[in-house]
Amino acid sequence: MADKYILSNSTTGDTVDLNLITGTDGPAALDITGLYKERGLLAYDPGFVSTASCTSSITYIDGERGILRYRGYPIEQLAANSNFLEVAHLLLYGELPTKTELLEFEGIISQHTMIRETMRTFFDGFHYNAHPMAIMIGVTGSMSAFYHDSLDIHDPRHREISAHRMIAKIPTIAAACYKHNVGEPIMYPRNDLDYCGNFLHMMFATPCEEYVPSKTAIEAMNLLFILHADHEQNASTSTVRLAGSSGANPFACIASGIASLWGPAHGGANEAVLKMLEEIGDVSNIAKYIAKAKDKNDPFRLMGFGHRVYRNFDPRATLIREMCHKVLAELSDEHNPLLELASQLEEVALKDEYFIERKLYPNVDYYSGIIYRALNIPANMFTVMFAIARTVGWVAHWSEMISDPSQRIGRPRQIYVGAKERDYVPIDKR
Ligand code: ACO
């Protein structure tokens, strides 16, 4: 017989039996789906700290032990052996592709890289210094105005085409945001290049001059994209799922995910880390900023530190730190004061009682900005880079959700704490 929990009211002695739901790994969950219907009770959990909103077979995280797996494969093994599109295939279809399947998948993605010619004119409408994330949200949302032939979300083939389009076109849109910012012509994609090489081409080539990325740059981008590809029910993925639960089209859902990712507590942290390091400026100021981070009356937080789920090292941060050293050693011959500052700040924080007690460790974004900067990607594009990679996770979750027969429209409840019923007072009597 399945384990049950019995909740009891300490005053009335009234009890509620709750079934336990267990997955293949990770903590069990109390099934409270009947709680309101049967007992008129709600569960209260702001920030969803103890709430599982769905079952999912895409990604597994054990935050206490610093474990991250995509479809069962440890992130370290994927980082060491895979490229981004292989991981994208794994996340979307559940299995690593064979050679033939990978070639076919790469071919399909490269055939979808162009955006409609009229979409290119949208970029002219944005202010020259618009934040690229703002442009990303607008242009991605607009895709539903173009690709009407794949918008039947209940047709698995339509969902698949939309997923391919999204994964293929997001880098094109992202690079166009950058080109708009720097006032250069938008570059067409090159389908003879791989996913990361093509993105770097669209970013840094011009009609007058080709850009040949180094092997290390492509390797670093692949790693960052793999590590950012999915992270189960984080804020932006949950946003995509919630938007999609109403039956909204996939392009609108991904635009909502990009909007959620932009916040500094989420994907915006990589840009915020670099700003913070620049503000700290010098190792001699570390103590002052650590004190600010610990001061409850100061809003300053150590950006790139802490994570809702990881209460141990974020395994992605360890991999990125290694790559950071490699990239800086190969791509910049000068001594890098930002990396030195970041290393020392990390060392001081990890020895500080405040950070130890709260289990605050560097997260995925602590070092990613330093790599992006070494690749000449400007700080306001860092979160865009995250969005390119996370698009794969978003579409995988969106598709999983739509094909799950138990999924209903997402509709959290609330505990109302406002005014009791009162009568309308005419304006001249208030
Ligand atoms: N600097 C200083 N103190 C911190 C930090 C930090 N970066 N992060 C958490 N704390 C403290 C909080 O003040 C709180 O202290 P208290 O218990 O004395 O009140 C305690 O640690 C717990 O923090 P919460 O905010 O409750 O943790 P939560 O799980 O809600 O937040 C978050 C996690 C948002 C990531 C937080 O750690 C943070 O703001 N970090 C900085 C931003 C960042 O790097 N975000 C990227 C996350 S990774 C990603 O999205 C890809």
Side-chain angles (χ1 to χ4, degrees):
M1 206 177 79
D3 276 353
K4 275 186 189 288
Y5 262 72
I6 302 174
L7 296 185
S8 67
N9 182 314
S10 57
T11 314
T12 61
D14 213 16
T15 60
V16 184
D17 287 8
L18 297 174
N19 287 326
L20 271 187
I21 301 178
T22 48
T24 41
D25 256 319
L30 295 173
D31 180 358
I32 58 160
T33 43
L35 201 57
Y36 180 69
K37 204 167 161 197
E38 286 155 28
R39 299 301 171 110
L41 283 170
L42 298 176
Y44 179 61
D45 183 20
F48 309 117
V49 179
S50 303
T51 297
S53 62
C54 59
T55 58
S56 177
S57 52
I58 301 174
T59 289
Y60 173 69
I61 302 173
D62 180 335
E64 300 298 328
R65 294 195 292 154
I67 290 174
L68 169 61
R69 296 183 202 131
Y70 293 162
R71 303 281 190 186
Y73 295 100
I75 194 67
E76 293 80 5
Q77 292 182 23
L78 294 171
N81 301 301
S82 256
N83 68 28
F84 178 64
L85 279 190
E86 192 183 19
V87 169
H89 185 287
L90 173 68
L91 288 168
L92 267 188
Y93 297 105
E95 295 299 336
L96 286 169
T98 60
K99 263 188 194 165
T100 321
E101 284 166 343
L102 182 59
L103 271 177
E104 192 191 343
F105 185 60
E106 286 170 344
I108 291 169
I109 297 299
S110 66
Q111 289 307 311
H112 280 296
T113 51
M114 279 200 295
I115 52 174
R116 289 285 173 89
E117 204 59 17
T118 42
M119 276 176 89
R120 289 161 60 90
T121 62
F122 288 2
F123 292 87
D124 297 336
F126 287 95
H127 199 55
Y128 72 95
N129 63 357
H131 196 289
M133 283 296 277
I135 309 179
M136 286 286 287
I137 296 166
V139 177
T140 305
S142 80
M143 283 168 80
S144 39
F146 291 86
Y147 302 105
H148 297 136
D149 58 338
S150 62
L151 291 184
D152 179 358
I153 61 164
H154 301 294
D155 180 334
R157 181 65 189 133
H158 278 217
R159 292 204 296 275
E160 187 179 32
I161 297 170
S162 291
H164 293 160
R165 282 185 168 141
M166 200 73 74
I167 294 166
K169 292 179 200 304
I170 280 282
T172 312
I173 295 172
C177 293
Y178 169 72
K179 289 296 196 191
H180 176 71
N181 271 185
V182 293
E184 288 179 4
I186 294 173
M187 295 298 291
Y188 286 106
R190 267 187 49 190
N191 293 352
D192 58 321
L193 298 174
D194 68 2
Y195 195 81
C196 294
N198 173 49
F199 176 69
L200 289 169
H201 149 78
M202 291 188 290
M203 285 285 288
F204 299 121
T206 67
C208 331
E209 205 166 324
E210 196 36 275
Y211 171 83
V212 184
S214 75
K215 218 172 135 249
T216 306
I218 292 184
E219 197 189 326
M221 291 244 341
N222 261 301
L223 176 77
L224 287 164
F225 281 2
I226 289 172
L227 300 183
H228 277 126
D230 192 43
H231 214 229
E232 52 119 305
Q233 312 307 323
N234 55 84
S236 56
T237 303
S238 299
T239 304
V240 170
R241 278 186 175 259
L242 193 58
S245 75
S246 72
N249 73 68
F251 305 107
C253 296
I254 301 303
S256 73
I258 299 174
S260 167
L261 186 75
W262 194 3
H266 191 12
N270 52 13
E271 184 180 346
V273 170
L274 214 78
K275 280 190 187 145
M276 174 189 77
L277 292 174
E278 279 166 352
E279 188 185 320
I280 298 174
D282 188 79
V283 289
S284 61
N285 294 324
I286 288 179
K288 181 175 133 200
Y289 279 88
I290 291 279
K292 272 165 77 63
K294 288 159 46 174
D295 181 356
K296 289 284 156 231
N297 300 316
D298 189 325
F300 177 79
R301 277 191 167 198
L302 213 53
M303 298 315 287
F305 255 77
H307 196 276
R308 169 59 62 77
V309 182
Y310 292 119
R311 301 298 179 188
N312 197 322
F313 260 94
D314 179 337
R316 302 167 300 173
T318 313
L319 294 161
I320 289 184
R321 186 172 37 194
E322 276 169 35
M323 180 56 83
C324 194
H325 284 281
K326 181 171 177 182
V327 166
L328 289 173
E330 288 185 30
L331 295 185
S332 89
D333 26 59
E334 339 142 6
H335 142 89
N336 192 295
L338 273 191
L339 179 60
E340 197 175 308
L341 180 57
S343 301
Q344 293 214 22
L345 181 62
E346 176 189 347
E347 207 180 309
V348 175
L350 289 179
K351 285 188 190 137
D352 192 292
E353 217 26 63
Y354 173 96
F355 292 88
I356 296 170
E357 250 173 40
R358 290 167 180 76
K359 299 185 175 171
L360 300 170
Y361 293 89
N363 60 46
V364 67
D365 283 327
Y366 192 66
Y367 285 103
S368 62
I370 300 176
I371 301 185
Y372 283 137
R373 169 162 284 191
L375 301 181
N376 288 324
I377 291 166
N380 66 359
M381 283 292 290
F382 292 175
T383 315
V384 173
M385 307 299 290
F386 194 157
I388 297 173
R390 186 53 60 85
T391 294
V392 171
W394 290 330
V395 290
H397 280 272
W398 171 79
S399 200
E400 182 183 64
M401 180 200 62
I402 303 284
S403 43
D404 176 356
S406 71
Q407 196 60 43
R408 305 167 69 188
I409 184 168
R411 182 26 173 118
R413 301 298 298 265
Q414 63 168 17
I415 296 170
Y416 174 70
V417 293
K420 287 271 192 197
E421 183 181 359
R422 47 187 174 163
D423 287 327
Y424 179 84
V425 180
I427 197 158
D428 52 345
K429 300 254 168 65
R430 282 173 218 160

